[in-house]
Amino acid sequence: MKIVNNEKYIAWNDSFNTGYKRIDEQHEKFLGMLNKLYEIDDDKDLNDIKVREKFNSVLRDTIDYMVYHFKTEEDIMKAINYKNLAKHSSKHRDFSNKILGEVKTYTANNYIDIVGLITYLRNWLLNHILIEDKAFVYEIKSILKKTDN
Ligand SMILES: [Fe+2]
């Protein structure tokens, strides 16, 4: 299943849960921050300097949170010697480089479709959760099961 959704708000639902509480909580918070960005954009005019400042500050927090979240996952993967660590981490890295580059262009006051970028980020995140993150949590759980026996 591949999520290609141009709707703005997507509420968290159980199908996004990987079953690893800390990761699920972070994903949910991350999605909430993206929804907040849509909300600011919908309510007000981003051309207004005050609105834009508010939007930019939430955007900065969201990007920081993304970096922090990827690090959380990578630390867990390292701790269990996850076989796809390199592959999974490089997906995080390529993606964050791309997003950071776009946001830099935006904050330097160049025109980009920032709301379109949020949607791209959101769709990437949900697809990544459903495929790569679920796979790695599945691996953690099977390792835990083995050590239980
Ligand atoms: Fe991930």
Side-chain angles (χ1 to χ4, degrees):
M1 178 172 70
K2 184 113 181 138
I3 293 178
V4 181
N5 194 329
N6 294 320
E7 295 284 312
K8 290 183 172 180
Y9 303 89
I10 294 187
W12 186 259
N13 71 66
D14 280 349
S15 75
F16 300 136
N17 279 322
T18 63
Y20 192 119
K21 197 162 173 272
R22 187 156 160 235
I23 291 173
D24 292 336
E25 282 170 357
Q26 288 191 3
H27 285 154
E28 188 174 355
K29 181 171 173 187
F30 194 177
L31 186 68
M33 293 172 101
L34 297 170
N35 282 334
K36 177 78 194 165
L37 290 167
Y38 288 132
E39 195 187 302
I40 299 171
D41 173 60
D42 272 354
D43 273 8
K44 309 230 169 64
D45 179 8
L46 274 193
N47 291 319
D48 180 299
I49 185 80
K50 282 241 149 41
V51 176
R52 199 173 159 103
E53 273 168 10
K54 173 74 189 153
F55 182 91
N56 291 357
S57 122
V58 177
L59 179 66
R60 245 186 328 267
D61 289 348
T62 307
I63 299 302
D64 286 349
Y65 196 72
M66 174 185 80
V67 171
Y68 162 77
H69 166 65
F70 286 166
K71 174 144 185 359
T72 304
E73 284 190 0
E74 286 163 26
D75 286 347
I76 297 169
M77 287 188 261
K78 276 180 206 148
I80 62 155
N81 248 321
Y82 182 48
K83 62 175 191 288
N84 290 325
L85 167 71
K87 206 169 144 198
H88 196 135
S89 309
S90 78
K91 288 203 173 175
H92 288 168
R93 200 169 42 248
D94 292 349
F95 180 71
S96 31
N97 284 343
K98 188 179 162 115
I99 297 295
L100 291 168
E102 292 284 325
V103 169
K104 211 171 159 190
T105 307
Y106 165 78
T107 46
N109 272 322
N110 294 306
Y111 177 78
I112 71 156
D113 173 10
I114 189 68
V115 178
L117 184 73
I118 302 301
T119 301
Y120 169 77
L121 197 167
R122 197 272 321 279
N123 288 343
W124 184 94
L125 174 73
L126 295 180
N127 284 304
H128 181 73
I129 291 174
L130 292 173
I131 300 165
E132 281 94 1
D133 290 344
K134 282 196 174 182
F136 113 77
V137 172
Y138 180 83
E139 180 98 356
I140 296 179
K141 297 211 161 172
S142 57
I143 288 172
L144 289 177
K145 236 181 241 159
K146 268 180 219 147
T147 49
D148 268 0
N149 292 332

